[in-house]
C-alpha cells in the first residue's frame, strides 16, 4: 500500500515576488488532497537583493560556488523560508509534528541547460535545522546529470491533476505563466509533453518597474490602455527559441527587456502581454495534437489583457481556455503544491522527470534529503 504523507511545498519563482507555501497530502502518485495556501511577499529591498544575486551568479561555472555576498543572500533567503513555514503553521493551526517533509525549490539564479548548469540558492540543511523538519531540495540537478534540461519539473503533478479531463477524452494543456511560461500537455493517450514556452511576466514586470517603479502591471490595467507595437512583438517572436524541433528550458535573461524609449508605458506593456500570449500559441505548434482545453495557472492568469489575448488566439484554433480556478484548482498554489508532491515522490525514489518533459534519456528521480 502506498504511503500518504503530509508535505509542504515552498516556491520562489522567477518573478521574485515572494514565497508561496502550500500543504498537500499525497502518496506521490494518484492520491492528492490539497490543503491551505499562503503567499508571503518579499519587500522591495529584498527583491533588489535577489536581483543582485542574479548578477553575482552570472560568471559562475561551478553550481556549488558561492561568493561571499551570494552566500549571504542565500542564508537570508533560507531564513525567510523558515519564517514563512512557521507563519504558515501558525496561521492554519497545524502542528509541525503533522508535517512529514518540506519540498524546497530555492531561488534559481542561473540556468544554462546547454552547459548542464543550473544554480538554485537556498540551504536545505539550514532550513531543516531551523524548522526541525525534513527537507527535500535541489530537485533539478540529477535530471541535468542524466542529460535533461533541468526544467520543467511541475508536469508530473499536472498529469496527476488531469484525470477528470482525460476521463472526458480531452487533450489538456496546463499553462503556467510565471516569470517564464511553461506548459504541460497530457494527450488523449495519456502521453506527457512539457517545455518552457517563452517569456511570461518577467518582461512585463521589468518594463513597468523601469517606467513607473511599481513591480508589475496589476490586472493588466496598464496594458489594457495600450496597443501592440507590431515591430517590437515581431522582434521577440522571431527568436530562434521558437524554431527547430528541440525544446529547451529558458533562463530569466534569455529575452532582453525593452529599452527605454522604444514604446510608451502602455504600448510597451500591451506589446509584452501580446508576446507572452503569442509565445504560448507558437510553442503549442510543437505538440502532437491541439489541446481541447487550456488551464492557465501562475500569476500571469491575473493579467486580464494577457488572458484576453491568449483566449482569442486559442479559441480561434478551437480550444477552450479556463483559469485554474475555473477548472477547480488554485492557480496561486499550484507550483508550491507541485514542490510538495515532488518531495514525496523523491522520498519514494519515484521519477520526477521524463523524456517528454525535460529531454532526459529515461525517467529519473532527484532531490537531496536534509534532516534536522
Amino acid at each position: 500500500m502506498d504511503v500518504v504523507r503530509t508535505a509542504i511545498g515552498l516556491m520562489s519563482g522567477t518573478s521574485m515576488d515572494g514565497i508561496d507555501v502550500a500543504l498537500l497530502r499525497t502518496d506521490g502518485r494518484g492520491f492528492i488532497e490539497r490543503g491551505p495556501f499562503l503567499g508571503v511577499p518579499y519587500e522591495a529591498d529584498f527583491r533588489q537583493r535577489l536581483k543582485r544575486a542574479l548578477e553575482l551568479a552570472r560568471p559562475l561555472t561551478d553550481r556549488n560556488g558561492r561568493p561571499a555576498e551570494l552566500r549571504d543572500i542565500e542564508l537570508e533567503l533560507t531564513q525567510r523560508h523558515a519564517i514563512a513555514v512557521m507563519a504558515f503553521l501558525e496561521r492554519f493551526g497545524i502542528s509541525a509534528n503533522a508535517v512529514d517533509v518540506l519540498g524546497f525549490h530555492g531561488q534559481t539564479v542561473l540556468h544554462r541547460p546547454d552547459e548542464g548548469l543550473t544554480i538554485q540558492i537556498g540551504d536545505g540543511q539550514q532550513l531543516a535545522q531551523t524548522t526541525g523538519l525534513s527537507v527535500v531540495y535541489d530537485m533539478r540537478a540529477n535530471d541535468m546529470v542524466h542529460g535533461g534540461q533541468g526544467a520543467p519539473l511541475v508536469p508530473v503533478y499536472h498529469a496527476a491533476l488531469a484525470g477528470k479531463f482525460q476521463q472526458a477524452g480531452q487533450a489538456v494543456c496546463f499553462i503556467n505563466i510565471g516569470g517564464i511560461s511553461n506548459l504541460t500537455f497530457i494527450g488523449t493517450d495519456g502521453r506527457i509533453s512539457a517545455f518552457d514556452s517563452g517569456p511570461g511576466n518577467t518582461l512585463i514586470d521589468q518594463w513597468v518597474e523601469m517606467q513607473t517603479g511599481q513591480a508589475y502591471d496589476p490586472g493588466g490595467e496598464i496594458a489594457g490602455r495600450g496597443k501592440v507595437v507590431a515591430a517590437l512583438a515581431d522582434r521577440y517572436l522571431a527568436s530562434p527559441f521558437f524554431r527547430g524541433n528541440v525544446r529547451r528550458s529558458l533562463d530569466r535573461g534569455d529575452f532582453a527587456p525593452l529599452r527605454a524609449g522604444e514604446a510608451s508605458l502602455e504600448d510597451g506593456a500591451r506589446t509584452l502581454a501580446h508576446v507572452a500570449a503569442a509565445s504560448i500559441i507558437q510553442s503549442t505548434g510543437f505538440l502532437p495534437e491541439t489541446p481541447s482545453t487550456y488551464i492557465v495557472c501562475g500569476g500571469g492568469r491575473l493579467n486580464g489583457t494577457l488572458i484576453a489575448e491568449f483566449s482569442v488566439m486559442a479559441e480561434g484554433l478551437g480550444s477552450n481556455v479556463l483559469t485554474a480556478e475555473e477548472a477547480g484548482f488554485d492557480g496561486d498554489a499550484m507550483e508550491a503544491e507541485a514542490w510538495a508532491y515532488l518531495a514525496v515522490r523523491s522520498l519514494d525514489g519515484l521519477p520526477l522527470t521524463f523524456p517528454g518533459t525535460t529531454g532526459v534519456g529515461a525517467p529519473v528521480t532527484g532531490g537531496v534529503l536534509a534532516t534536522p
Side-chain angles (χ1 to χ4, degrees):
M1 180 177 174
D2 299 330
V3 177
V4 174
R5 293 183 174 92
T6 298
I8 290 175
L10 302 166
M11 182 68 197
S12 180
T14 50
S15 294
M16 300 189 302
D17 52 2
I19 302 166
D20 292 338
V21 189
L23 184 140
L24 206 68
R25 291 190 68 248
T26 182
D27 60 0
R29 297 165 174 84
F31 178 81
I32 295 170
E33 185 177 280
R34 294 167 40 233
F37 167 79
L38 180 66
V40 181
Y42 291 138
E43 301 92 340
D45 286 352
F46 187 66
R47 290 188 74 237
Q48 293 304 316
R49 292 263 284 158
L50 288 179
K51 290 180 182 179
R52 173 62 178 157
L54 301 179
E55 297 173 11
L56 293 167
R58 196 171 296 129
L60 297 180
T61 56
D62 175 5
R63 69 181 311 271
N64 295 311
R66 296 289 188 274
E69 187 180 353
L70 183 60
R71 177 60 176 164
D72 287 344
I73 297 170
E74 178 174 53
L75 293 174
E76 184 176 352
L77 177 86
T78 306
Q79 185 62 30
R80 285 173 176 270
H81 276 75
I83 292 169
V85 170
M86 296 309 180
F88 178 85
L89 295 175
E90 183 176 356
R91 168 80 62 89
F92 298 107
I94 299 167
S95 167
N97 293 330
V99 178
D100 296 301
V101 67
L102 303 179
F104 180 33
H105 178 270
Q107 182 71 52
T108 297
V109 293
L110 187 71
H111 188 67
R112 293 181 183 152
D114 295 339
E115 300 171 22
L117 180 63
T118 188
I119 301 175
Q120 287 75 42
I121 58 171
D123 189 324
Q125 188 61 59
Q126 185 199 32
L127 184 62
Q129 290 170 351
T130 305
T131 61
L133 296 167
S134 295
V135 176
V136 174
Y137 67 105
D138 200 16
M139 294 194 223
R140 299 187 187 277
N142 197 45
D143 176 80
M144 297 188 83
V145 167
H146 288 83
Q149 294 266 309
L153 264 67
V154 177
V156 68
Y157 182 57
H158 285 157
L161 294 176
K164 66 179 181 180
F165 295 94
Q166 285 203 282
Q167 289 165 12
Q170 296 185 27
V172 61
C173 189
F174 287 81
I175 304 292
N176 179 62
I177 307 177
I180 292 165
S181 293
N182 55 67
L183 63 83
T184 302
F185 172 81
I186 302 97
T188 50
D189 61 357
R191 184 169 53 160
I192 304 174
S193 300
F195 44 83
D196 284 353
S197 55
N201 299 321
T202 292
L203 292 176
I204 303 168
D205 295 348
Q206 289 171 329
W207 175 252
V208 170
E209 186 168 20
M210 180 174 69
Q211 298 292 315
T212 71
Q214 66 186 53
Y216 64 101
D217 179 7
E221 295 171 6
I222 296 171
R225 300 194 298 269
K227 64 181 185 297
V228 176
V229 181
L232 294 178
D234 291 346
R235 188 176 79 200
Y236 282 107
L237 297 172
S239 166
F241 173 77
F242 299 109
R243 298 195 295 274
N245 291 323
V246 178
R247 300 293 82 215
R248 60 180 289 270
S249 57
L250 288 166
D251 180 70
R252 175 187 167 94
D254 281 340
F255 286 86
L258 282 179
R259 296 183 294 273
E262 288 195 290
S264 69
L265 166 64
E266 293 83 0
D267 289 355
R270 177 62 182 272
T271 299
L272 295 172
H274 172 84
V275 166
S279 293
I280 298 166
I281 294 296
Q282 285 201 188
S283 291
T284 59
F286 294 96
L287 297 175
E289 56 184 311
T290 300
S292 304
T293 299
Y294 287 100
I295 300 170
V296 187
C297 319
R301 80 192 190 288
L302 304 177
N303 184 318
T305 303
L306 193 168
I307 295 304
E309 291 249 10
F310 177 65
S311 296
V312 169
M313 294 176 192
E315 288 164 6
L317 298 173
S319 302
N320 183 38
V321 177
L322 301 173
T323 64
E325 286 73 19
E326 289 169 339
F329 307 124
D330 183 335
D332 288 327
M334 193 173 289
E335 274 203 290
E337 290 172 0
W339 243 254
Y341 185 77
L342 290 166
V344 172
R345 287 183 68 84
S346 177
L347 290 177
D348 288 343
L350 296 170
L352 307 187
T353 56
F354 303 82
T357 63
T358 65
V360 69
V364 65
T365 191
V368 177
L369 175 64
T371 54

